Amino acid sequence: MITRKSKREIEKMQAAGDLLAEIHKEIAKMIKPGITTMEIDAFAEEYMRKHGATPEQKGYQGYKYATCASINDEICHGFPREEKLSDGDIVTVDMVVNLDGGLADSAWTYAVGDVDEKGKRLMDVTKTSLYKGIEQAQVGKRLGDIGHAIQTYAEGEGFSVVRDFTGHGIGPTLHEDPHIPHFGLPNKGLRLKEGMVITIEPMINEGSWHSKMDDNGWTARTVDQGRSAQYEHTIVITKDGPVLTTDQGE
Ligand code: MF3
Ligand code: CO
């Protein structure tokens, strides 16, 4: 069932988004070779709790951490760990803030120290692909328009779009209808309406888009060990255009 959110719900989701954006901006300052994703996870959880929020991912379907931390060839749902990040790694930190029942979901890929040119380009193209998708998140446009904008851009830059994970509706619960694919055909699929709240979260790979699941049942990684990047915002569809609740002001 696809729901449209009330003004009150959207206000709460915006407050959660503001907090989440602050956390990402803090993490950006912390990321450097030698830090562990477990330290980042602890920081994010503490920051949420200090501000009266809770980490929605912790306990979600048995997931144990406040954040997902996906390094290099990990596509998504990597576990935070005690291993130090190395110079040249890329790491995607994904989290969901629950503030007074309002949810916000945002992932960001960070460069650890000096990342090679291809890695930087992968990050750049992935972030730009997110904003190309967001441009299409307009009342009256269709889901295929979002996916098509992301796919044509990312593939045109020589990268591939992960098929096995999509964006989603979000509201009182983390994963709501509809699925938001990051690939597709223009003018196809569900039509967007005012008050819908969705995530757009393209995962873009430097090699093949195919993924495989780790034995832990959570972590997806590329089959060819190529790197994967991801940027995600929570977006309200309004008659004045898309509103990013998780905007970091960049
Ligand atoms: N934030 C993720 C998403 O975009 C959710 C990760 S699954 C969880 O869908 F169990 F870790 F929460
Ligand atoms: Co997310």
Side-chain angles (χ1 to χ4, degrees), residues 55-68 76-79 93-96 104-107 165-170 174-175 199-201 203 218 230 232:
E56 186 71 10
Q57 292 188 168
K58 200 167 181 172
Y60 180 82
Q61 293 186 0
Y63 189 75
K64 290 203 176 67
Y65 308 95
T67 62
C68 296
C76 62
H77 307 160
F79 291 170
V93 180
D94 187 4
M95 74 192 95
V96 181
D105 187 356
S106 176
F165 300 89
T166 65
H168 49 89
I170 179 168
L174 172 53
H175 290 136
T199 73
I200 303 179
E201 48 180 304
M203 286 144 273
W218 277 100
Q230 181 185 26
E232 173 185 23

Side-chain angles (χ1 to χ4, degrees), residues 25-155:
K25 285 196 277 189
E26 292 300 320
I27 291 172
K29 295 185 231 161
M30 297 167 68
I31 293 271
K32 55 175 180 302
I35 195 169
T36 72
T37 48
M38 199 59 99
E39 290 173 90
I40 294 165
D41 186 78
F43 169 82
E45 178 164 359
E46 207 179 294
Y47 200 100
M48 287 183 217
R49 296 202 189 277
K50 246 189 350 222
H51 292 82
T54 53
E56 186 71 10
Q57 292 188 168
K58 200 167 181 172
Y60 180 82
Q61 293 186 0
Y63 189 75
K64 290 203 176 67
Y65 308 95
T67 62
C68 296
S70 306
I71 304 167
N72 296 331
D73 67 327
E74 294 171 345
I75 294 170
C76 62
H77 307 160
F79 291 170
R81 67 208 87 157
E82 301 290 357
E83 193 184 306
K84 291 179 184 339
L85 290 171
S86 304
D87 189 51
D89 284 343
I90 65 170
V91 58
T92 302
V93 180
D94 187 4
M95 74 192 95
V96 181
V97 167
N98 183 333
L99 182 61
D100 195 21
L103 298 187
D105 187 356
S106 176
W108 214 253
T109 301
Y110 297 95
V112 183
D114 281 324
V115 169
D116 64 28
E117 283 310 312
K118 179 114 188 259
K120 280 196 247 178
R121 210 167 66 78
L122 173 68
M123 292 174 62
D124 253 23
V125 166
T126 307
K127 194 198 284 183
T128 302
S129 79
L130 167 61
Y131 288 101
K132 298 226 179 237
I134 290 170
E135 255 171 49
Q136 300 296 316
Q138 310 279 352
V139 173
K141 290 261 192 186
R142 302 172 72 163
L143 288 185
D145 297 321
I146 295 176
H148 185 72
I150 293 169
Q151 181 180 18
T152 48
Y153 172 68
E155 290 181 355

Side-chain angles (χ1 to χ4, degrees), residues 1 3 5 10 13-14 19 57 61 114 124 136 139 153 170 186 191-192 204 227 232 241:
M1 191 186 51
T3 61
K5 274 65 187 177
I10 289 169
M13 295 179 88
Q14 181 61 65
L19 184 59
Q57 292 188 168
Q61 293 186 0
D114 281 324
D124 253 23
Q136 300 296 316
V139 173
Y153 172 68
I170 179 168
R191 219 173 269 287
L192 294 167
I204 305 295
R227 288 168 293 184
E232 173 185 23

